[in-house]
Amino acid sequence: MKRIGIDVGGTNTDAVLIDGEKVLSAIKFPTTSDVMQGVVNAIGHVVASQAPGSAPVDAVMIGTTHFTNAVVERARLDRIAAIRIAMPAGASLPPMVDWPDELRDAVDPLTFMVHGGHEYDGRPLVPLARDEVRDAAMKIRDAGVDSVGITALFSPLTAECELEAAEIVRSVIPNARITLSHTLGRIGLLERENVTLLNAALQGLGRKTIDAFKDALKQAGIDAPFYLTQNDGTVVLADVAAANPVYSFASGPTNSMRGAAFLTGLKEAMVIDVGGTTSDVGCLVGGFPREANNVVEVGGVRTLFRMPDLLPMALGGGTIIDPDTRKIGPRSVGYRITEKALVFGGDTLTTTDVAVAAGLVEIGDRDRVKHLDKALVADLLKRVEAMVEDGVDRMKTSAEGVQLIAVGGGAFLIPEKLKGASEVLRVEHAGVANALGAAMAQVSGEVDQVFSGMSREKAIAEAERIARARAVEAGASPDTIVTLDTEDIPIAYLPGDARRVRVRVVGDIAFMKDEQKRVAGALR
């Protein structure tokens, strides 16, 4: 099956065309100010080498930083309404209490706290105040807001209140875009509410982004389904991704990690992805990125949901160096490296200039960095080495040396030998590992919730059923779905043999259009 994988980063746009596991063509070039035109150009480059009459492309997988950038930049966000169902217990800390002021101002929220929710043991806290929900919905409608996030106390245990509240809101605002917290987050009211409201603020951008990508593919002459990559190293049908853009926050680094696994055949290793602006260090477990089990901040907002365990560092090919203080970063020239770096005739000293001066890579005009003092170059490379060693040490879970796979356009910055690493691996196509990871990705389904009133076996079976259904909805072929991992934790203080069950499944993409129609029919 022919697939195109594209990763749109802040510095570079990478694209590959593969057939099965064979790489047919690959391209890397600076991200343009017009991102969609850059996607069109990338597709044009990778398909140009195909002979006339070649088999058509079966699918396109795209990784994008659109949604993360929107949160970080406090731009392109919808005005939102937050409904918290947790009164009277949840009144002390209002919604978005821990958000940065400028981000809260950007979404200009309407907030409502209504009576309802459940206790930790599944009992109703108080009955859901339906009139309060309806009153909130009418105020939201009158304000012209159609992005709504609904969060109820202990909804991962039972989602009754959120589901009923959503029905009431839709009866008042039929076209409302509603995000329910139990579909995204885990137990922990504030963090779960935060990711719910971020998702609500991004759904409008999600729809616009998907439509723009569709237009870009049409302009490039590609008639194939397309997918967006997700935080866990898998993909999801673009139309499904539009409803849950938060699942694509960390898709860039996870694409690179999946690409590293594909290029090396390793399932257990550490990966460092060196881009133009930052580096991300992560770990492969079973061929997929290790998942974070703690709070992850996104744009200054605390969240607790499906995110990879990554350590970002301000080190990339475009990182700016102060020649006087010898400070490396955190600022970067980004996609303007071909204008600003010394080797390209610019006036800014970057890590790429240092690497060229040291003979680590041939980029640009080496004569333009011959004036750099050798002692300065050596000292800066030692500083880079120390930064990488510190990152590896912080991500390790044991004192033993680990295999480190260096990928990304700036992988030339990673030394051949590092303390804490048993081996530094470099592979062909490492510079476009992110696009390869996108192209090779499978489709996942996950459930993480509390089940009670049933045996352990039935709880796990029900969790697997839900996870498989979510994978099919995301675009997986039902016959190929396998369980990746299962975890269940008994909760002693809850009645009814309660336990938290987490199941993740993966499956191959349902490429055939008739199969996709069959899947869609089964979901109705």
Side-chain angles (χ1 to χ4, degrees):
M1 295 290 184
K2 279 189 178 179
R3 287 163 285 180
I4 292 176
I6 302 173
D7 189 273
V8 184
T11 303
N12 294 305
T13 294
D14 303 330
V16 297
L17 173 64
I18 65 173
D19 189 354
E21 295 190 357
K22 181 181 179 181
V23 180
L24 301 180
S25 57
I27 188 70
K28 173 188 286 288
F29 54 86
T31 296
T32 59
S33 55
D34 182 354
V35 174
M36 297 308 163
Q37 186 58 48
V39 171
V40 173
N41 295 339
I43 294 174
H45 276 84
V46 296
V47 301
S49 60
Q50 296 302 292
S54 297
V57 173
D58 294 292
V60 178
M61 290 77 165
I62 301 176
T64 178
T65 58
H66 268 55
F67 308 126
T68 309
N69 292 346
V71 176
V72 172
E73 296 168 8
R74 283 52 167 145
R76 304 180 298 281
L77 301 172
D78 292 338
R79 189 184 184 192
I80 63 173
I83 298 177
R84 179 191 290 179
I85 306 170
M87 291 291 282
S92 59
L93 297 174
M96 307 171 69
V97 65
D98 58 344
W99 284 38
D101 291 340
E102 64 273 18
L103 181 57
R104 189 187 306 106
D105 293 342
V107 299
D108 189 18
L110 293 171
T111 60
F112 304 90
M113 292 193 285
V114 305
H115 287 76
H118 289 79
E119 300 276 12
Y120 67 89
D121 59 0
R123 293 176 300 167
L125 176 69
V126 295
L128 174 65
R130 296 172 181 80
D131 290 342
E132 293 180 16
V133 175
R134 185 173 298 278
D135 182 60
M138 289 189 290
K139 291 179 179 177
I140 294 169
R141 179 198 59 194
D142 294 344
V145 176
D146 57 11
S147 284
V148 183
I150 301 176
T151 307
L153 199 62
F154 286 105
S155 62
L157 181 62
T158 173
E160 293 174 8
C161 287
E162 289 187 358
L163 293 171
E164 188 170 355
E167 290 183 7
I168 295 172
V169 172
R170 286 196 181 95
S171 69
V172 177
I173 316 171
N175 296 324
R177 295 191 298 270
I178 300 175
T179 302
L180 303 181
S181 76
H182 75 275
T183 65
L184 296 176
R186 297 168 180 167
I187 291 177
L189 178 66
L190 294 182
E191 292 82 8
R192 176 161 44 87
E193 183 176 62
N194 283 345
V195 73
T196 301
L197 298 181
L198 283 176
N199 195 77
L202 288 164
Q203 281 188 325
L205 177 63
R207 187 69 267 163
K208 292 176 183 176
T209 300
I210 297 307
D211 290 343
F213 278 134
K214 284 182 179 178
D215 291 341
L217 293 177
K218 184 177 180 180
Q219 186 178 341
I222 301 295
D223 181 18
F226 83 98
Y227 302 74
L228 251 57
T229 57
Q230 298 192 104
N231 301 330
D232 61 356
T234 62
V235 293
V236 64
L237 280 167
D239 289 327
V240 177
N244 296 304
V246 295
Y247 278 154
S248 295
F249 273 161
S251 60
T254 54
N255 287 343
S256 294
M257 295 182 69
R258 287 287 289 151
F262 165 68
L263 290 169
T264 62
L266 296 176
K267 293 186 178 296
E268 311 289 331
M270 189 172 288
V271 179
I272 181 165
D273 174 28
V274 189
T277 304
T278 61
S279 295
D280 291 286
V281 185
C283 295
L284 289 171
V285 178
F288 286 84
R290 184 174 72 195
E291 193 168 302
N293 285 321
N294 56 348
V295 170
V296 176
E297 283 200 5
V298 180
V301 177
R302 290 166 53 87
T303 66
L304 185 58
F305 73 120
R306 191 171 73 202
M307 287 285 280
D309 187 11
L310 296 173
L311 175 66
M313 301 189 300
L315 174 66
T319 298
I320 297 172
I321 297 173
D322 187 328
D324 297 322
T325 64
R326 302 189 178 186
K327 181 182 179 184
I328 300 174
R331 293 187 302 121
S332 170
V333 295
Y335 68 88
R336 301 182 66 190
I337 188 170
T338 54
E339 303 172 17
K340 294 293 186 179
L342 298 182
V343 292
F344 293 109
D347 57 3
T348 306
L349 179 62
T350 68
T351 50
T352 294
D353 297 316
V354 173
V356 172
L360 300 179
V361 65
E362 294 183 7
I363 297 176
D365 185 356
R366 188 175 181 181
D367 290 339
R368 295 182 181 275
V369 291
K370 281 186 174 180
H371 67 281
L372 293 178
D373 182 69
K374 291 184 178 179
L376 171 65
V377 171
D379 179 61
L380 290 171
L381 288 178
K382 289 297 292 182
R383 289 171 181 250
V384 168
E385 181 179 333
M387 291 175 67
V388 177
E389 287 178 343
D390 179 64
V392 169
D393 186 62
R394 290 173 63 182
M395 291 299 289
K396 289 173 63 176
T397 56
S398 72
E400 297 179 2
V402 296
Q403 290 179 298
L404 178 68
I405 309 169
V407 298
F412 54 78
L413 292 172
I414 307 304
E416 295 294 334
K417 293 184 179 180
L418 288 167
K419 294 178 182 177
S422 60
E423 184 181 11
V424 176
L425 301 174
R426 303 179 189 278
V427 291
E428 186 182 7
H429 301 303
V432 291
N434 47 6
L436 274 170
M440 293 299 300
Q442 294 173 291
V443 180
S444 72
E446 183 179 10
V447 62
D448 184 355
Q449 68 183 62
V450 177
F451 294 87
S452 62
M454 62 181 71
S455 67
R456 175 178 181 271
E457 290 74 18
K458 288 185 177 180
I460 293 176
E462 177 63 12
E464 288 184 348
R465 185 195 66 78
I466 297 172
R468 290 177 66 89
R470 290 178 178 176
V472 170
E473 183 181 5
S477 175
D479 298 336
T480 66
I481 296 174
V482 296
T483 300
L484 195 63
D485 50 59
T486 301
E487 178 184 17
D488 74 291
I489 304 173
I491 304 177
Y493 52 81
L494 294 186
D497 196 21
R499 62 187 62 248
R500 175 185 174 186
V501 182
R502 176 181 171 273
V503 173
R504 184 156 63 119
V505 301
V506 295
D508 295 334
I509 293 172
F511 282 115
M512 303 304 293
K513 291 182 179 179
D514 57 343
E515 183 173 358
Q516 290 171 345
K517 290 178 180 178
R518 178 174 62 82
V519 169
L523 289 172
R524 290 194 182 99

